[in-house]
Amino acid sequence: SQQGEEDPQALSIQEGENATMNCSYKTSINNLQWYRQNSGRGLVHLILIRSNEREKHSGRLRVTLDTSKKSSSLLITASRAADTASYFCATDGSGIKAAGNKLTFGGGTRVLVKP
Amino acid sequence: GAGVSQTPSNKVTEKGKYVELRCDPISGHTALYWYRQSLGQGPEFLIYFQGTGAADDSGLPNDRFFAVRPEGSVSTLKIQRTERGDSAVYLCASSAISGSYNEQFFGPGTRLTVL
């Protein structure tokens, strides 16, 4: 079963616009990660945010985490055609500060950036 | 350095046959994970190895699925008596256990098609 739910399921924007997607989860977490996937193959790790962090930036990416609402958002600023991909959030779901825990993924948001 | 590699990239087999899928993790990574991703969904956890032992195999769907990691590096996922419902992309990931982080690096996946 999948813990996370991404919203929206699909997003179509013009190049240069910002893309925002949200992720909700059900259980307590140790950290939350966002991944990108092109063409249904390997996932590329984008950013990890720990449960005691509220916001994190990496290049054009901004991630927020609200543990009280059990939700996270990923913002891609100034989008490019190359950002077209599926984006997944993943949690370790254990709430225990131990490494090596399995990730539970959401269903993903499919983003199309039109040139 | 080299990332996670998986072979074969594609595997087509007939219902009832036996298949083996191979994963080469990043050198030095002690943790190895197998996930399965069906079309249009997020990856779902199958099994996790810490070193040579399976620390968590709770995601294996039934006893037709088995995985080994005899020397703590390369892992093989084995599926007996394949069924059409086993068709999916099988993803392998590895991580270097470090404190409370659990950043997993994914391979390109093996697309399994059972006819």
Side-chain angles (χ1 to χ4, degrees):
Chain A
S1 63
Q2 300 194 311
Q3 161 163 246
E5 292 184 3
E6 275 96 338
D7 168 49
Q9 291 187 336
L11 182 61
S12 180
I13 57 174
Q14 290 294 137
E15 204 165 28
E17 294 180 340
N18 295 341
T20 300
M21 59 211 86
N22 304 295
C23 166
S24 60
Y25 57 92
K26 298 173 185 173
T27 65
S28 59
I29 62 170
N30 189 31
N31 60 60
L32 184 144
Q33 303 178 52
W34 284 91
Y35 287 84
R36 183 184 73 213
Q37 185 177 46
N38 292 83
S39 305
R41 297 308 288 262
L43 290 98
V44 174
H45 185 269
L46 295 177
I47 198 165
L48 179 152
I49 186 166
R50 286 182 278 182
S51 60
N52 62 355
E53 296 177 314
R54 292 296 167 258
E55 187 171 314
K56 205 162 184 179
H57 296 254
S58 177
R60 294 184 294 113
L61 305 179
R62 172 177 170 257
V63 169
T64 64
L65 178 64
D66 186 337
T67 52
S68 67
K69 295 181 180 178
K70 291 187 169 56
S71 68
S72 174
S73 69
L74 171 66
L75 167 68
I76 305 173
T77 61
S79 63
R80 305 166 182 168
D83 295 328
T84 294
S86 291
Y87 292 82
F88 294 90
C89 68
T91 60
D92 69 0
S94 67
I96 299 170
K97 289 198 183 298
N101 295 309
K102 63 189 180 189
L103 293 179
T104 303
F105 286 82
T109 293
R110 280 151 280 284
V111 175
L112 172 63
V113 181
K114 294 179 281 187
Chain B
V4 178
S5 62
Q6 293 186 247
T7 55
S9 57
N10 288 281
K11 176 70 177 177
V12 180
T13 190
E14 293 179 344
K15 180 175 178 296
K17 298 290 188 181
Y18 168 83
V19 296
E20 288 189 353
L21 311 179
R22 176 188 168 105
C23 172
D24 277 272
I26 293 172
S27 178
H29 280 191
T30 57
L32 185 147
Y33 307 79
W34 284 99
Y35 294 85
R36 178 169 71 172
Q37 185 176 25
S38 299
L39 190 63
Q41 298 183 21
E44 292 189 316
F45 169 79
L46 294 176
I47 186 169
Y48 152 58
F49 287 90
Q50 178 57 42
T52 61
D56 183 352
D57 64 357
S58 62
L60 294 178
N62 51 59
D63 61 6
R64 295 187 298 105
F65 288 75
F66 188 72
V68 295
R69 195 186 185 199
E71 298 178 356
S73 178
V74 171
S75 177
T76 304
L77 178 65
K78 307 179 180 189
I79 310 174
Q80 298 178 320
R81 305 182 304 280
T82 52
E83 299 177 356
R84 292 194 179 89
D86 297 336
S87 296
V89 175
Y90 288 81
L91 296 163
C92 176
S94 69
S95 70
I97 304 298
S98 175
S100 62
Y101 285 93
N102 188 29
E103 183 176 338
Q104 296 182 20
F105 297 86
F106 282 78
T110 294
R111 185 180 300 278
L112 175 67
T113 303
V114 182
L115 302 176

